[in-house]
Amino acid sequence: MNNKGFTFRKRIAGFKYAFHGIGLLCNEHNVWLHGIIGLCVVVAGFLLDISAMEWVVVVIVCGGVFAAEALNTAIEKLADVVSPEYNEAIKKIKDLSAGGVLLMAITAAITGLILFLPKLIALFEINKS
């Protein structure tokens, strides 16, 4: 293993760059949409008093959506640099990348239904009585 060049200063700088990347991601419109939905999920989690394990699932799935969006955004921006003009191959790459985000968002929605729907049904059944 080659540790040449390893310094804690470089590791800390790496975190600085990563946080800068998160800041750049916050400028993306889809991230705002995911954020609003995520906020609604967190509010629902508190209102429905979900368990610690259910919170773990919510955090992982929400994090997955944001990570997928970050990767999609990076791929799209890189593709725009590599080929500023229209390119069918670049279009397919961007479509695949966007499809990955959609798959993660669908997974998150299904997970939300599995976690929250039984609690909502039970809540409305109690209120009917």
Side-chain angles (χ1 to χ4, degrees):
M1 181 191 307
N2 183 359
N3 287 335
K4 186 175 182 181
F6 174 86
T7 66
F8 285 106
R9 180 172 281 167
K10 287 181 183 178
R11 298 307 123 218
I12 291 170
F15 278 103
K16 181 179 100 177
Y17 302 139
F19 281 112
H20 181 252
I22 291 171
L24 292 173
L25 189 63
C26 290
N27 294 325
E28 298 296 317
H29 296 288
N30 286 342
V31 171
W32 281 94
L33 177 62
H34 296 308
I36 291 167
I37 293 168
L39 180 62
C40 291
V41 169
V42 168
V43 169
F46 281 113
L47 292 175
L48 295 171
D49 195 30
I50 63 176
S51 70
M53 192 53 68
E54 289 168 328
W55 275 115
V56 168
V57 171
V58 166
V59 168
I60 289 171
V61 171
C62 287
V65 171
F66 285 110
E69 191 64 55
L71 293 171
N72 177 56
T73 300
I75 289 168
E76 287 185 351
K77 295 202 179 293
L78 178 61
D80 289 344
V81 170
V82 170
S83 180
E85 68 286 340
Y86 180 81
N87 180 311
E88 187 63 28
I90 294 292
K91 180 195 178 305
K92 288 179 182 177
I93 290 167
K94 287 182 170 186
D95 288 351
L96 284 165
S97 181
V101 176
L102 181 58
L103 286 171
M104 188 65 228
I106 290 169
T107 301
I110 292 169
T111 302
L113 288 173
I114 292 168
L115 290 178
F116 292 112
L117 198 56
K119 293 178 184 307
L120 290 170
I121 290 170
L123 184 67
F124 285 114
E125 286 177 354
I126 290 171
N127 289 336
K128 277 186 183 178
S129 305

